[in-house]
Coordinates of all heavy atoms in Angstrom, one line a residue:
Chain T
K20 N 14.2 -8.6 6.6 CA 15.2 -7.7 5.9 C 15.4 -6.4 6.6 O 15.1 -5.3 6.1 CB 14.6 -7.4 4.5 CG 14.8 -8.5 3.5 CD 14.5 -8.0 2.1 CE 15.6 -7.1 1.6 NZ 15.3 -6.6 0.2
S21 N 15.9 -6.5 7.8 CA 16.2 -5.3 8.6 C 15.1 -4.4 9.0 O 15.3 -3.3 9.5 CB 17.3 -4.5 8.0 OG 16.8 -3.8 6.9
E205 N 6.2 1.6 0.7 CA 7.6 1.3 0.8 C 8.1 1.5 2.2 O 7.9 2.5 2.8 CB 8.5 2.1 -0.2 CG 8.3 1.9 -1.6 CD 9.1 0.7 -2.1 OE1 10.1 0.3 -1.4 OE2 8.8 0.1 -3.1
L206 N 8.8 0.5 2.8 CA 9.4 0.7 4.1 C 10.9 0.7 3.9 O 11.5 -0.3 3.6 CB 9.0 -0.5 5.0 CG 7.5 -0.7 5.3 CD1 7.4 -1.9 6.3 CD2 6.8 0.5 5.8
F207 N 11.5 1.9 4.1 CA 12.9 2.1 4.1 C 13.5 1.5 2.8 O 14.7 1.2 2.8 CB 13.6 1.4 5.3 CG 12.8 1.6 6.6 CD1 12.1 0.6 7.1 CD2 12.9 2.8 7.2 CE1 11.4 0.8 8.3 CE2 12.2 3.1 8.3 CZ 11.5 2.1 8.9
G208 N 12.8 1.5 1.7 CA 13.3 1.0 0.5 C 13.6 -0.5 0.4 O 14.0 -1.1 -0.6
A209 N 13.4 -1.2 1.6 CA 13.8 -2.6 1.7 C 12.6 -3.5 1.5 O 12.8 -4.6 0.9 CB 14.5 -2.9 3.0
V210 N 11.5 -3.1 2.0 CA 10.3 -4.0 2.0 C 9.1 -3.2 1.5 O 9.0 -1.9 1.7 CB 10.1 -4.4 3.4 CG1 8.8 -5.3 3.5 CG2 11.3 -5.2 4.0
E515 N 18.8 -10.2 -4.8 CA 18.4 -8.9 -4.4 C 18.3 -8.1 -5.7 O 19.0 -8.2 -6.6 CB 19.4 -8.3 -3.4 CG 19.1 -6.9 -3.0 CD 18.0 -6.8 -2.0 OE1 18.3 -7.0 -0.8 OE2 16.9 -6.6 -2.4
R516 N 17.2 -7.2 -5.7 CA 17.1 -6.3 -6.9 C 18.1 -5.2 -6.9 O 18.2 -4.5 -5.9 CB 15.6 -5.8 -6.9 CG 15.2 -4.9 -8.0 CD 15.4 -5.5 -9.4 NE 14.7 -6.7 -9.7 CZ 13.6 -6.8 -10.3 NH1 12.9 -5.7 -10.6 NH2 13.0 -7.9 -10.6
V517 N 18.8 -5.1 -8.0 CA 19.7 -4.0 -8.1 C 19.4 -3.3 -9.5 O 18.8 -4.0 -10.3 CB 21.2 -4.4 -8.1 CG1 21.6 -5.0 -6.8 CG2 21.6 -5.3 -9.2
Y518 N 19.8 -2.1 -9.7 CA 19.6 -1.4 -10.9 C 20.9 -1.0 -11.6 O 21.8 -0.5 -11.0 CB 18.7 -0.1 -10.6 CG 17.4 -0.5 -10.1 CD1 17.1 -0.7 -8.8 CD2 16.3 -0.7 -11.0 CE1 15.9 -1.0 -8.3 CE2 15.1 -1.1 -10.6 CZ 14.8 -1.2 -9.3 OH 13.6 -1.6 -8.8
L520 N 22.6 1.3 -14.1 CA 22.4 2.6 -14.7 C 22.5 2.5 -16.3 O 23.3 1.7 -16.8 CB 23.3 3.6 -14.1 CG 23.1 4.0 -12.7 CD1 23.9 5.1 -12.2 CD2 21.6 4.3 -12.4
V544 N 30.7 -0.2 -10.3 CA 30.8 0.3 -8.9 C 29.4 0.2 -8.3 O 28.4 0.6 -8.9 CB 31.3 1.8 -8.9 CG1 31.2 2.3 -7.4 CG2 32.7 1.9 -9.4
L545 N 29.4 -0.5 -7.1 CA 28.1 -0.7 -6.4 C 27.8 0.5 -5.5 O 28.7 0.9 -4.7 CB 28.2 -2.0 -5.7 CG 27.0 -2.3 -4.8 CD1 25.8 -2.7 -5.6 CD2 27.3 -3.4 -3.8
Q546 N 26.7 1.1 -5.6 CA 26.3 2.1 -4.7 C 25.0 1.7 -4.0 O 24.0 1.3 -4.6 CB 25.9 3.4 -5.5 CG 27.2 4.0 -6.0 CD 27.2 5.5 -5.7 OE1 26.2 6.2 -5.7 NE2 28.4 6.0 -5.4
S547 N 25.1 1.7 -2.7 CA 23.9 1.3 -1.9 C 23.4 2.5 -1.0 O 24.2 3.0 -0.3 CB 24.2 0.1 -1.0 OG 24.7 -0.9 -1.7
K548 N 22.2 2.9 -1.3 CA 21.7 4.1 -0.6 C 20.2 3.8 -0.3 O 19.5 3.3 -1.1 CB 21.8 5.3 -1.5 CG 21.8 6.6 -0.8 CD 22.1 7.7 -1.8 CE 21.2 8.8 -1.7 NZ 21.3 9.7 -2.8
D549 N 19.8 4.0 1.0 CA 18.4 3.7 1.4 C 18.0 2.3 1.0 O 16.8 2.1 0.5 CB 17.5 4.8 0.8 CG 17.8 6.2 1.3 OD1 18.4 6.3 2.3 OD2 17.4 7.1 0.6
N550 N 18.8 1.4 1.1 CA 18.5 0.0 0.8 C 18.2 -0.2 -0.7 O 17.6 -1.2 -1.1 CB 17.3 -0.5 1.6 CG 17.7 -0.7 3.0 OD1 18.7 -1.2 3.3 ND2 16.8 -0.2 3.9
K551 N 18.6 0.8 -1.5 CA 18.5 0.6 -3.0 C 19.9 0.5 -3.5 O 20.7 1.3 -3.2 CB 17.8 1.8 -3.6 CG 16.3 1.9 -3.2 CD 15.4 1.2 -4.2 CE 14.0 1.4 -3.9 NZ 13.3 0.2 -3.4
H552 N 20.1 -0.5 -4.4 CA 21.4 -0.7 -4.9 C 21.5 -0.4 -6.4 O 20.6 -0.8 -7.2 CB 21.8 -2.2 -4.7 CG 21.6 -2.7 -3.4 ND1 22.4 -2.4 -2.3 CD2 20.6 -3.5 -2.9 CE1 21.9 -2.9 -1.2 NE2 20.8 -3.6 -1.5
T553 N 22.5 0.4 -6.8 CA 22.7 0.7 -8.2 C 24.1 0.3 -8.6 O 25.0 0.4 -7.8 CB 22.4 2.1 -8.5 OG1 23.2 2.9 -7.7 CG2 21.0 2.5 -8.4
L554 N 24.2 -0.1 -9.9 CA 25.5 -0.4 -10.4 C 25.8 0.7 -11.5 O 25.0 0.9 -12.4 CB 25.6 -1.8 -11.1 CG 25.4 -2.9 -10.1 CD1 25.3 -4.2 -10.9 CD2 26.6 -3.0 -9.1
Q555 N 27.0 1.3 -11.4 CA 27.4 2.2 -12.5 C 28.7 1.9 -13.0 O 29.5 1.2 -12.4 CB 27.2 3.7 -11.9 CG 28.1 3.9 -10.7 CD 27.8 5.3 -10.1 OE1 26.6 5.6 -9.8 NE2 28.8 6.1 -9.9
Chain F
K194 N 6.5 12.3 -3.8 CA 7.7 12.6 -4.6 C 7.9 11.4 -5.6 O 8.8 10.6 -5.3 CB 8.9 12.8 -3.7 CG 9.9 13.7 -4.4 CD 11.1 13.9 -3.4 CE 10.8 14.8 -2.3 NZ 10.9 16.2 -2.3
R196 N 8.6 11.4 -8.8 CA 9.6 11.7 -9.8 C 9.2 11.1 -11.2 O 9.9 10.3 -11.8 CB 11.0 11.2 -9.4 CG 11.5 11.9 -8.2 CD 13.0 11.6 -8.0 NE 13.5 12.4 -6.9 CZ 13.7 11.9 -5.7 NH1 13.3 10.6 -5.4 NH2 14.1 12.6 -4.7
E376 N 8.5 16.4 -8.3 CA 9.8 16.5 -8.9 C 9.9 15.8 -10.2 O 10.6 14.8 -10.4 CB 10.8 15.9 -7.9 CG 11.1 16.8 -6.7 CD 12.3 16.3 -5.9 OE1 12.9 15.3 -6.3 OE2 12.6 17.0 -4.9
M426 N 20.5 -9.6 -8.4 CA 21.9 -9.8 -8.1 C 21.9 -10.9 -7.0 O 21.2 -10.9 -6.0 CB 22.5 -8.5 -7.6 CG 24.0 -8.6 -7.3 SD 24.6 -7.0 -7.1 CE 26.3 -7.3 -6.6
L431 N 26.4 -9.7 -3.6 CA 26.0 -8.4 -3.1 C 26.6 -8.3 -1.6 O 27.2 -7.2 -1.3 CB 24.5 -8.2 -3.0 CG 24.1 -6.9 -2.5 CD1 24.5 -5.8 -3.5 CD2 22.6 -6.8 -2.3
M435 N 29.3 -5.6 -0.4 CA 29.0 -4.6 0.6 C 30.0 -4.7 1.8 O 30.4 -3.7 2.3 CB 27.5 -4.7 1.0 CG 26.6 -4.2 -0.1 SD 24.9 -4.4 0.2 CE 24.7 -3.4 1.6
G439 N 32.7 -1.7 2.6 CA 32.6 -1.0 3.8 C 31.3 -0.2 3.8 O 30.6 -0.1 2.7
P440 N 30.9 0.4 4.9 CA 29.6 1.1 5.0 C 29.6 2.3 4.1 O 28.5 2.6 3.5 CB 29.5 1.4 6.4 CG 30.9 1.4 7.0 CD 31.7 0.5 6.2
L441 N 30.7 3.0 4.0 CA 30.6 4.3 3.2 C 31.6 4.1 2.0 O 32.8 3.9 2.2 CB 31.0 5.5 4.0 CG 30.0 5.9 5.1 CD1 30.6 6.9 6.1 CD2 28.8 6.4 4.5
P442 N 31.1 4.3 0.8 CA 32.0 4.2 -0.3 C 33.0 5.4 -0.3 O 32.6 6.5 0.0 CB 31.1 4.2 -1.5 CG 29.8 4.8 -1.1 CD 29.8 4.6 0.4

Side-chain angles (χ1 to χ4, degrees):
Chain T
K20 280 192 73 179
S21 74
E205 289 280 337
L206 304 182
F207 315 106
V210 178
E515 178 73 88
R516 180 53 61 95
V517 301
Y518 293 88
L520 292 188
V544 174
L545 175 73
Q546 289 229 322
S547 300
K548 201 170 132 194
D549 298 338
N550 292 314
K551 292 268 185 250
H552 312 285
T553 52
L554 292 175
Q555 58 190 51
Chain F
K194 205 178 289 271
R196 297 194 175 96
E376 290 190 1
M426 184 167 172
L431 180 67
M435 286 176 63
L441 289 168

